[in-house]
Amino acid sequence: MANGFGSLYVGSSGLRGAQNAINTTANNLANMDTIGYVREQVIFADETYNKIKDVTPRTNMQQHGLGVSIGDVVHIRDIFLDKAYRLEEGRSSFYNTSYEVVEQIEDFLQELNGMEFKESILELWQSFQEYEKEPENSTNQNLVVEKTELFLSRCDALYSDLISYQDNLNDQIKDSIDNINKLAKDIYKLNLEIQKVEAGKLETAMTVRDIRDAKIDELASYGKISVEEDATGFAYISFENIDLVGSDRAYEIELRKDDHTGFYTPYWKHLSDTRVKRYQDVYNLDAVISPEFDSDVGKVKALMLSRGSEYGTADYLNGDDNDGTPYKELKKSSIMEVQAEIAVLFRRIVNTVNNHFSPLKESGLDTIEGTLDDGTQASFTYDNGVVTYQHTNQNGVVDTYIYRNEDEYLDKQNGVAGKEYRKANSILILDEENASYGTDMELPPRELFLRYGSERYTKLTASDGKVYYVYNGERIDNPSTHYALSRVEINPEIKNQAGLMPCYTKNGAVDRKLSENLVLAWEVKDMIIGPDDTIPCNISAFYDKIVGRTANRGSTYHSAGQTLERSAAALDKKRQEVIGVSSDEELTKMIKYQSAYNASSRFMTVISEMTELIVTQLR
């Protein structure tokens, strides 16, 4: 023990150390319920030692200390628990966000304006069942018109709701990216503040570190992050394997907007060259979604995958590449998949009705040339699945349109029971032999569903006087000519006069075979929901498959999200055991440090009395 006044330094250091420890413990207790607060812990260290005698072969070194000091007040964290928690939190955000999207889609499918969407399909079918009983009855005809209008309005409303929801997700992506950029800038500023405070090695920036760590935790919910802290307290952060917070700045993520859909795609500003349209995307959406590759992390990625890159159409579901790329692209997006499935269902219903009311057949010809009713010349040429239409108008200008000739049409030769839909290998024309007539007994018979941008037929009189009603396929360059959602209306002529609906044979008799075949066609099991579907179904069951597959997707997301939530909660609980404030533990420390303070105080009293005694006796 030190002699003389040196002992006072020992006692004094004990008082200061215990007082500082009490203050730190009191601060922990005061912030016990503060969100994001990390408990502080006092680390004691020896004060300077005074040497009395050097070590010799026979004796040890002799020295006495000047007491104890506060070596540091440390920020108690476990970097391994932080890393594990942030990864699980990111994964949980990915699956929970994906589930929320599917849950909303399920609401669209099951409830639309207070009624199930499926009801509009069933009611349309029931109207055709009534129509079958008496096709010529105006009441039954008007019922078909009424239910067709209802079916179209609900289809359009459903598809419109899905598109609006895509736009909503798109806005969420923008808001999330804005927040990521703000978090990165805030973390960078906090890094500089921490460096400034801790540069003298006398103080730890506790409060600033708490704020920064809370922001890093929040950032982890948006994507995969990695954090490395250097000796100066500066935290370097990578986001989706690219530097987000560097030594000299916070790197910015920008958004490019698709001209057609308005959909945003995040890209790294500092790694892209917008002048040549070369972009380094932030998220790799082509990666297989799997925990094995850490590719299932982050809310924004889930939003982008759920939203998709386009509006889903029937073409995506059918696929047009040998490797099924469009279908693979479709399967990534919950909304696009349902949009495409609804589009396929809609298209099948439309074609089923139209191809019975106004049947088609193959002409067996690759070229049909002739004169239109206005005296101008026109021609149709078939080649490898497409039909080229050329028309020379009265001013001598040649208009050229290219139609897809792969529309499925009903092959009536096989009969209804064994009917099949085939793709045409020549120019399609009206099947006059099997056509039915309305009350006006005119050709061509009217289709029930009319495209906004195209009539069903072009009447062409060949040089030999033969009249062809050539089918106007869907133009490749003009989506308005497609039998697609939001581009089809009920034929206004039939809507205004239901009697024009085809229901008579050429000799004027009621065409009961037409209505019978139409009802039977509804029940034919020839629809599959995608390349991975092996069980054909009818029109009504197809919608049930849409709902079922959506529910299965949602169940998978929900299950994964709940599991990861529990995992993240367990890790956070372990984290809280390290960083959290326990009132029992802190009160125990308070008693310990108070006892240490009392002991140092008594020690000082004894030294004081001893010194006083020595001084008094020396007199």
Side-chain angles (χ1 to χ4, degrees):
M1 179 180 292
N3 295 319
F5 286 99
S7 298
L8 292 174
Y9 287 107
V10 175
S12 174
S13 69
L15 286 172
R16 288 195 307 272
Q19 183 61 59
N20 288 332
I22 289 172
N23 292 341
T24 300
T25 304
N27 186 55
N28 285 340
L29 287 169
N31 288 282
M32 186 168 60
D33 296 325
T34 302
I35 297 175
Y37 178 79
V38 177
R39 72 184 176 96
E40 302 170 2
Q41 182 174 325
V42 173
I43 304 297
F44 292 100
D46 293 336
E47 275 283 12
T48 305
Y49 278 86
N50 289 332
K51 188 187 300 181
I52 300 174
K53 186 176 181 180
D54 288 331
V55 64
T56 68
R58 295 185 179 182
T59 61
N60 293 327
M61 180 185 295
Q62 296 181 21
Q63 59 183 4
H64 68 82
L66 297 180
V68 67
S69 65
I70 301 295
D72 196 4
V73 178
V74 296
H75 214 219
I76 301 299
R77 295 197 77 95
D78 187 320
I79 59 173
F80 299 106
L81 283 176
D82 283 343
K83 182 178 179 180
Y85 168 76
R86 288 163 181 165
L87 179 60
E88 293 302 282
E89 181 66 17
R91 284 202 173 112
S92 173
S93 294
F94 177 89
Y95 287 105
N96 284 333
T97 300
S98 300
Y99 172 66
E100 288 172 7
V101 174
V102 174
E103 192 175 32
Q104 183 62 55
I105 294 171
E106 288 178 325
D107 287 342
F108 288 146
L109 292 176
Q110 296 294 344
E111 291 292 332
L112 194 67
N113 296 327
M115 298 184 69
E116 291 187 5
F117 172 71
K118 186 179 179 180
E119 286 186 15
S120 64
I121 302 174
L122 294 176
E123 288 175 2
L124 181 61
W125 178 48
Q126 289 168 357
S127 72
F128 283 118
Q129 288 180 308
E130 292 299 316
Y131 177 72
E132 177 193 6
K133 298 174 183 176
E134 292 184 85
E136 76 283 7
N137 187 301
S138 61
T139 300
N140 293 339
Q141 293 170 346
N142 284 312
L143 180 64
V144 170
V145 171
E146 175 189 342
K147 298 305 179 183
T148 300
E149 282 192 289
L150 182 63
F151 168 71
L152 284 175
S153 65
R154 289 187 179 172
C155 280
D156 289 345
L158 173 59
Y159 197 69
S160 177
D161 284 343
L162 291 171
I163 289 176
S164 296
Y165 191 46
Q166 278 180 298
D167 294 337
N168 178 276
L169 296 183
N170 195 49
D171 291 338
Q172 290 185 46
I173 291 170
K174 182 181 183 301
D175 292 342
S176 297
I177 295 300
D178 290 342
N179 201 31
I180 290 172
N181 286 329
K182 183 178 183 302
L183 287 171
K185 291 176 182 176
D186 290 346
I187 291 169
Y188 178 75
K189 291 177 182 177
L190 293 169
N191 277 338
L192 297 180
E193 192 172 342
I194 290 169
Q195 281 186 321
K196 186 190 301 181
V197 172
E198 299 181 355
K201 309 255 182 224
L202 298 175
E203 184 180 357
T204 303
M206 298 296 184
T207 303
V208 182
R209 282 179 172 270
D210 288 347
I211 297 172
R212 185 188 68 180
D213 291 334
K215 288 183 179 295
I216 293 174
D217 286 348
E218 183 181 354
L219 183 64
S221 67
Y222 290 106
K224 183 172 63 176
I225 69 169
S226 175
V227 183
E228 292 185 11
E229 185 176 331
D230 65 13
T232 68
F234 194 99
Y236 299 88
I237 299 178
S238 69
F239 189 84
E240 295 293 323
N241 302 318
I242 301 292
D243 289 341
L244 178 64
V245 178
S247 59
D248 60 341
R249 58 176 162 160
Y251 296 98
E252 190 173 359
I253 299 174
E254 288 201 345
L255 296 164
R256 70 175 183 273
K257 190 174 183 178
D258 183 79
D259 293 335
H260 171 57
T261 60
F263 290 169
Y264 294 113
T265 301
Y267 69 92
W268 293 104
K269 180 180 178 180
H270 65 292
L271 297 178
S272 303
D273 189 345
T274 57
R275 294 170 300 177
V276 295
K277 296 185 177 180
R278 181 180 61 82
Y279 300 97
Q280 175 66 47
D281 290 341
V282 176
Y283 296 93
N284 179 12
L285 303 182
D286 294 326
V288 176
I289 303 301
S290 169
E292 181 181 356
F293 306 112
D294 288 341
S295 55
D296 57 345
V297 181
K299 171 184 177 179
V300 180
K301 191 172 190 178
L303 288 172
M304 292 184 67
L305 288 171
S306 298
R307 180 204 64 188
S309 58
E310 265 287 353
Y311 302 124
T313 64
D315 292 335
Y316 274 97
L317 195 63
N318 294 330
D320 55 14
D321 290 351
N322 292 331
D323 64 353
T325 298
Y327 185 66
K328 291 178 182 178
E329 182 73 18
L330 188 74
K331 291 293 287 182
K332 297 177 186 177
S333 169
S334 305
I335 298 182
M336 281 183 66
E337 184 178 30
V338 172
Q339 283 175 328
E341 289 166 351
I342 293 295
V344 167
L345 175 62
F346 175 82
R347 183 185 178 86
R348 172 48 62 89
I349 292 174
V350 167
N351 281 337
T352 296
V353 175
N354 279 355
N355 290 339
H356 278 81
F357 276 21
S358 188
L360 303 172
K361 72 174 183 178
E362 289 196 56
S363 65
L365 302 172
D366 292 335
T367 301
I368 299 178
E369 298 178 332
T371 305
L372 302 180
D373 285 345
D374 62 3
T376 57
Q377 297 296 307
S379 67
F380 289 86
T381 305
Y382 173 85
D383 182 32
N384 194 28
V386 298
V387 172
T388 301
Y389 170 69
Q390 288 189 319
H391 171 229
T392 305
N393 63 29
Q394 295 176 344
N395 297 322
V397 178
V398 178
D399 296 320
T400 302
Y401 303 136
I402 299 177
Y403 298 125
R404 291 188 305 192
N405 204 44
E406 296 183 353
D407 295 273
E408 295 174 337
Y409 71 98
L410 182 62
D411 181 6
K412 302 193 83 169
Q413 294 178 352
N414 292 331
V416 173
K419 83 173 184 66
E420 62 181 40
Y421 283 86
R422 296 174 53 191
K423 291 186 177 181
N425 295 312
S426 62
I427 298 173
L428 285 172
I429 60 173
L430 169 65
D431 185 1
E432 297 185 37
E433 294 180 3
N434 294 291
S436 301
Y437 296 80
T439 53
D440 59 355
M441 302 301 289
E442 290 184 0
L443 284 179
R446 294 167 179 81
E447 57 183 347
L448 182 61
F449 296 96
L450 185 68
R451 294 168 287 178
Y452 288 139
S454 178
E455 296 288 341
R456 186 170 177 84
Y457 299 105
T458 295
K459 182 180 178 182
L460 199 63
T461 303
S463 57
D464 61 0
K466 186 174 182 179
V467 176
Y468 293 93
Y469 292 95
V470 183
Y471 174 66
N472 296 320
E474 298 177 336
R475 280 175 53 182
I476 295 175
D477 64 330
N478 188 355
S480 67
T481 64
H482 298 184
Y483 288 104
L485 287 160
S486 302
R487 293 169 184 154
V488 171
E489 63 179 341
I490 187 171
N491 193 317
E493 293 183 348
I494 295 178
K495 180 179 178 180
N496 295 330
Q497 187 177 346
L500 297 178
M501 187 181 301
C503 62
Y504 298 102
T505 62
K506 192 174 183 178
N507 59 15
V510 176
D511 192 351
R512 299 194 179 280
K513 187 177 180 182
L514 165 65
S515 56
E516 291 173 4
N517 288 345
L518 182 56
V519 172
L520 290 173
W522 201 278
E523 288 298 304
V524 173
K525 297 180 179 180
D526 62 350
M527 296 185 70
I528 58 172
I529 203 165
D532 56 348
D533 184 14
T534 59
I535 303 176
C537 63
N538 60 22
I539 290 174
S540 298
F542 188 86
Y543 179 77
D544 293 334
K545 279 190 177 183
I546 296 174
V547 175
R549 284 161 70 102
T550 303
N552 288 339
R553 185 192 280 253
S555 177
T556 301
Y557 289 147
H558 186 50
S559 176
Q562 283 190 321
T563 301
L564 289 164
E565 266 189 2
R566 288 192 291 266
S567 177
L571 286 168
D572 192 43
K573 183 178 180 181
K574 289 183 179 179
R575 254 195 354 160
Q576 292 304 320
E577 291 174 1
V578 176
I579 69 176
V581 179
S582 167
S583 58
D584 291 342
E585 184 180 350
E586 296 302 321
L587 288 172
T588 300
K589 288 182 180 180
M590 181 71 80
I591 294 171
K592 180 177 70 173
Y593 295 140
Q594 183 65 50
S595 298
Y597 185 88
N598 292 337
S600 296
S601 179
R602 287 195 299 272
F603 177 82
M604 289 286 289
T605 301
V606 170
I607 295 299
S608 175
E609 291 175 353
M610 182 183 69
T611 303
E612 182 180 0
L613 179 63
I614 292 172
V615 172
T616 303
Q617 291 297 325
L618 286 176
R619 291 179 183 177

